[in-house]
Amino acid sequence: MPRFLTMIRIDEQNLPPENFPPEFEQRMGALLEEITKAGVMLDTAGLLPTSEGTRLSWSGGKISYTDGPFTETKEVVGGYSLTQCKDKAEAIEWTKRFLEIHPAEWNVSAEVREIQEM
């Protein structure tokens, strides 16, 4: 079965409050339990802010380093999931359910990409 990487994108400049609403955490916990029991979830995690990250670039035969925060970038990857689904449609359906759990006033997007197996 194919594996999919889902990257959760957030606007770091306009993050929701530090404390998540209790009902959000309950809904998220239930969905993560369901997707794990279905044998789909391989791994998932949130990422620390870009202020704690470093970007490496290769150009002109040289490596350059830029420490965060990366203020020139509006959306950043705030988390990810690695799933194994029967097809892209199933991966998209799980991602849709994940996004729908978030409060309506939040701005969160996701990019679903199939992993190329070697």
Side-chain angles (χ1 to χ4, degrees), residues 1 4-6 8 27-45 80-87 89-99 101 112:
M1 282 203 316
F4 295 86
L5 176 67
T6 301
I8 307 305
R27 290 191 312 260
M28 185 62 69
L31 178 63
L32 291 176
E33 183 177 335
E34 181 182 353
I35 193 170
T36 301
K37 284 183 178 177
V40 172
M41 181 65 71
L42 300 175
D43 190 28
T44 188
Y80 73 93
S81 71
L82 181 61
T83 57
Q84 190 164 25
C85 301
K86 64 181 178 191
D87 54 26
E90 181 184 16
I92 289 171
E93 180 60 29
W94 283 114
T95 303
K96 175 183 161 257
R97 291 183 58 195
F98 170 82
L99 290 174
I101 286 173
V112 177

Side-chain angles (χ1 to χ4, degrees), residues 58-73:
W58 174 256
S59 179
K62 295 181 183 179
I63 294 281
S64 63
Y65 303 85
T66 305
D67 289 330
F70 310 119
T71 55
E72 72 281 359
T73 305

Side-chain angles (χ1 to χ4, degrees), residues 7-52:
M7 294 166 280
I8 307 305
R9 298 190 179 273
I10 59 170
D11 178 353
E12 235 181 11
Q13 310 305 316
N14 295 303
L15 289 175
E18 288 283 326
N19 298 323
F20 296 115
E23 64 277 0
F24 170 75
E25 291 186 14
Q26 292 167 353
R27 290 191 312 260
M28 185 62 69
L31 178 63
L32 291 176
E33 183 177 335
E34 181 182 353
I35 193 170
T36 301
K37 284 183 178 177
V40 172
M41 181 65 71
L42 300 175
D43 190 28
T44 188
L47 301 176
L48 292 175
T50 61
S51 61
E52 299 186 36

